[in-house]
């Protein structure tokens, strides 16, 4: 048989579309051509495959070899098709059995010695192979990542000769299945017990964690804003398996790759304020996920918020509202999920000491207004909680509180209980409720409507802020175990609109 078909997987955004590798060996002058919109790395696979076959003591057909990577309009990149091309050539030239190739999907880059090198983006490939009911052949180094997928059947391979012996029935390779990593990092050195004082700040973070609400901290340098933000993941509910797969898939296709020890752990991303818009939302000629997508199902912490370029901050407005980002380029388009929780911190003025007891601030009102004006009103509207973080008295820093500080485990138990109520009621965190769902689950007594209307008129709040206050009040009521939103819950929610009050 001079024609062989092998299944592999490409990459398009977070998806792993099926790529059919067809290899045809025919009479003619010796030549090897690859068609199907291959990029440079794919075109170079002909030399890698030829070297791997020869050093593995196989015959390289001295005939015309045509390799088609279908579908033809999907761009192909990287060395992931090397193994599929090599197996296709061997099957088409009848050096290995091709009877069971339809039962497998294979990915992997070949070295000239025939050894398999790991590739990126294995998790989406494993999910799709599982969904199609095929076994997945892949490099041993990628096994731990692929084994995180439930219901998968994996054939880990270290050398081309091993998979050829398996396909010929000479030395079968044992199948591996779902194997959650036993060494996954679940413990952390960070704990809210390390934070002395700042009780209203810790209360606000508990509310933010329970409802996945966005939060902005405003305070002078050294008051613990970054310290507290870094401890937010320690009180967040654990990821579901579906959420963990989404998060891991995004990390897998990024430049950094995915560390299996982070399985089920909420991501925490903290880009520097010099980051560009492309670094934040993603981009490139072959679009890759940015920081907001790498923070999917987790936290995006932006320290020194006004120091970010205003155009960079404005690109956050759409994903904060929709939970995804679409990156369009001339020849392709990629959609990435971006349902993240925004935590930001800023100083009250350019020097950072406005209102501080030290009296060191000499900023004029115009300088303060210009500094805060770097954050637009529409972006502030999308942040549910604005919070002042004052200095902690020296006595508390030295001695701690008399009753001791609550640990992250204690706070997390309350957060999980409140989040469970919200998910049971609406199937999602309160921050993700639609306008229709807000009307259904965030009902107020008549006195509550009057209070909220007065706040709207006094502070000039937008309709978006109106709905966000209701969602926040619903979370506060959930933490209190109350089926209805009370006046106290609503009053606390309104109190977190600090910057709206100051404006």
């Amino acid at each position: 048989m001079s024609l062989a078909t092998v299944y592999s997987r490409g990459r398009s955004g977070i998806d792993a579309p099926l790529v059919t590798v067809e290899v045809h060996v025919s009479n003619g002058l010796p030549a090897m051509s690859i068609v199907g919109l291959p990029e440079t790395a794919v075109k170079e696979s002909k030399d890698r495959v030829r070297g791997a076959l020869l050093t593995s003591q196989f015959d390289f057909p001295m005939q015309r070899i045509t390799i088609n990577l279908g579908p033809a309009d999907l761009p192909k990149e990287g060395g992931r098709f090397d193994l599929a091309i090599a197996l296709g050539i061997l099957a088409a030239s009848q050096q290995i059995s091709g009877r069971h190739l339809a039962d497998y999907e294979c990915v992997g880059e070949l070295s000239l010695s025939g050894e398999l090198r790991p590739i990126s983006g294995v998790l989406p490939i494993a999910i799709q192979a599982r969904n199609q009911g095929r076994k997945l052949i892949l490099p041993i180094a990628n096994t731990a990542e692929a084994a995180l997928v439930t219901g998968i059947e994996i054939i880990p391979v270290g050398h081309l000769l091993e998979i050829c012996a398996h396909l010929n029935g000479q030395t079968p390779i044992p199948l591996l299945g779902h194997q959650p990593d036993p060494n996954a990092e679940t413990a952390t050195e960070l704990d809210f017990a390390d934070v002395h004082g700042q009780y209203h700040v810790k209360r606000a973070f508990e509310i933010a964690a329970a409802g996945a609400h966005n939060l902005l901290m405003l305070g002078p340098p050294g008051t613990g804003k970054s310290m507290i933000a870094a401890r937010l993941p320690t009180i967040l509910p654990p990821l579901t398996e579906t959420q963990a797969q989404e998060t891991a898939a995004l990390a897998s296709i990024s430049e950094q790759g995915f560390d299996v020890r982070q399985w089920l752990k909420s991501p925490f991303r903290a880009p520097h304020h010099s980051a560009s818009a492309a670094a934040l939302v993603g981009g490139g000629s072959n679009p890759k996920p940015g920081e907001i997508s790498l923070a999917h199902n987790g936290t995006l912490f932006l320290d020194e918020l006004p120091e970010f370029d205003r155009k960079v901050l404005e690109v956050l407005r759409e994903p904060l509202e929709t939970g995804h980002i679409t990156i369009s380029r001339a020849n392709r388009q990629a959609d990435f999920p971006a349902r993240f929780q925004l935590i930001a911190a800023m100083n009250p003025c350019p020097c950072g000491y406005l209102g501080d007891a030290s009296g060191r601030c000499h900023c004029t009102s115009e300088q303060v207004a210009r500094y805060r004006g770097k954050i637009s009103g529409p972006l502030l509207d999308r942040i549910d909680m604005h919070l002042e973080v004052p200095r902690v008295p020296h006595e508390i820093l030295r001695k701690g509180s008399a009753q001791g500080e609550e640990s992250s485990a204690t706070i997390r138990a309350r957060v999980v209980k409140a989040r469970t109520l919200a998910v049971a009621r609406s199937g999602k965190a309160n921050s993700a409720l639609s306008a229709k769902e807000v009307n259904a689950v965030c009902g107020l007594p008549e006195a509550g409507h009057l209070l909220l209307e007065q706040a709207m008129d006094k502070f000039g709040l937008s309709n978006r802020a109106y709905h966000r206050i209701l969602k926040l009040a619903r979370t506060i009521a959930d933490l209190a175990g109350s089926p209805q939103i009370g006046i106290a819950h609503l009053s606390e929610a309104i109190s977190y609109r600090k910057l709206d009050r100051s404006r």
Side-chain angles (χ1 to χ4, degrees), residues 331-382:
N331 61 345
R332 65 179 66 184
Q333 187 180 54
D335 288 295
F336 296 113
R339 180 69 66 184
F340 60 94
Q341 182 175 5
L342 176 64
I343 304 295
M346 61 180 287
N347 295 326
C349 66
C351 76
Y353 295 101
L354 179 67
D356 190 59
S358 65
R360 285 186 281 176
C361 180
H362 301 288
C363 298
T364 65
S365 57
E366 291 79 7
Q367 289 174 323
V368 174
R370 192 181 309 114
Y371 178 75
R372 297 190 181 186
K374 294 180 180 179
I375 306 169
S376 68
L379 181 59
L380 278 177
D381 250 3
R382 290 166 167 81

Side-chain angles (χ1 to χ4, degrees), residues 97-421:
S97 172
R99 289 180 300 169
H100 303 296
L101 283 177
D103 299 332
Y104 301 97
E105 292 182 8
C106 57
V107 290
E109 178 182 332
L110 284 172
S111 68
L112 296 183
S113 64
E115 294 181 353
L116 263 71
R117 291 174 174 157
I119 64 167
S120 63
V122 164
L123 200 64
I125 294 172
I127 294 172
Q128 292 299 325
R130 185 270 314 271
N131 294 343
Q132 294 298 317
R134 296 192 184 99
K135 303 176 183 67
L136 180 60
I137 303 170
L138 80 173
I140 289 177
N142 290 127
T143 303
E145 182 178 337
L148 296 173
V149 178
T150 305
I152 188 70
E153 290 184 303
I154 302 169
I155 299 178
V157 180
H159 196 280
L160 178 61
L161 289 172
E162 295 177 12
I163 187 59
C164 292
H166 174 84
L167 294 173
N168 285 331
Q170 298 167 343
T171 310
I173 301 174
L175 292 175
L176 292 181
H178 172 56
Q179 295 178 339
D181 185 52
N183 299 316
E185 293 180 354
T186 55
T188 176
E189 295 180 357
L190 302 179
D191 198 291
F192 265 91
D194 302 329
V195 182
H196 298 300
Q198 303 289 27
Y199 302 112
H200 75 291
V201 180
K202 289 188 278 189
R203 163 68 175 173
F205 268 79
E206 182 178 337
I207 297 169
H213 298 288
N214 303 321
L215 184 149
L216 171 62
M217 293 177 284
L218 183 76
T223 53
K225 300 187 293 296
S226 300
M227 178 184 180
I228 297 173
R231 282 157 175 75
L232 177 62
T234 66
I235 63 173
L236 291 176
L239 298 179
T240 65
E241 185 168 347
T242 300
Q243 290 176 325
Q245 287 183 355
E246 291 176 349
T247 302
L250 286 161
S252 179
I253 65 174
S254 70
E255 296 294 340
Q256 68 175 27
F258 173 64
D259 184 355
V260 294
R261 294 174 298 175
Q262 302 299 315
W263 181 245
L264 296 179
K265 188 175 179 181
S266 296
F268 182 85
R269 307 291 299 183
H272 191 260
H273 59 254
S274 61
S276 65
L280 214 57
V281 302
S285 57
N286 179 26
K288 295 287 183 70
E291 292 291 341
I292 64 171
S293 294
L294 296 176
H296 180 59
N297 293 321
T299 306
L300 178 69
F301 176 50
L302 301 182
D303 200 5
E304 307 293 347
L305 188 65
E307 301 302 327
F308 283 82
D309 187 270
R310 178 160 179 158
K311 292 181 180 179
V312 173
L313 293 179
E314 293 307 296
V315 302
L316 295 175
R317 286 160 56 175
E318 182 184 351
L320 278 173
E321 203 73 25
T322 63
H324 70 89
I325 184 73
T326 301
I327 301 172
S328 298
R329 293 296 179 263
N331 61 345
R332 65 179 66 184
Q333 187 180 54
D335 288 295
F336 296 113
R339 180 69 66 184
F340 60 94
Q341 182 175 5
L342 176 64
I343 304 295
M346 61 180 287
N347 295 326
C349 66
C351 76
Y353 295 101
L354 179 67
D356 190 59
S358 65
R360 285 186 281 176
C361 180
H362 301 288
C363 298
T364 65
S365 57
E366 291 79 7
Q367 289 174 323
V368 174
R370 192 181 309 114
Y371 178 75
R372 297 190 181 186
K374 294 180 180 179
I375 306 169
S376 68
L379 181 59
L380 278 177
D381 250 3
R382 290 166 167 81
I383 300 178
D384 308 64
M385 308 172 74
H386 311 154
L387 186 67
E388 279 191 293
V389 184
R391 290 192 181 279
V392 178
H394 298 311
E395 295 78 12
I396 294 180
L397 286 178
R398 179 164 52 92
K399 299 179 181 179
S401 62
Q403 68 273 24
E405 305 292 350
E406 279 192 315
S407 68
S408 290
T410 302
I411 300 173
R412 189 185 195 191
R414 297 196 296 264
V415 167
V416 170
K417 185 177 179 180
R419 181 72 69 90
T420 302
L421 286 174

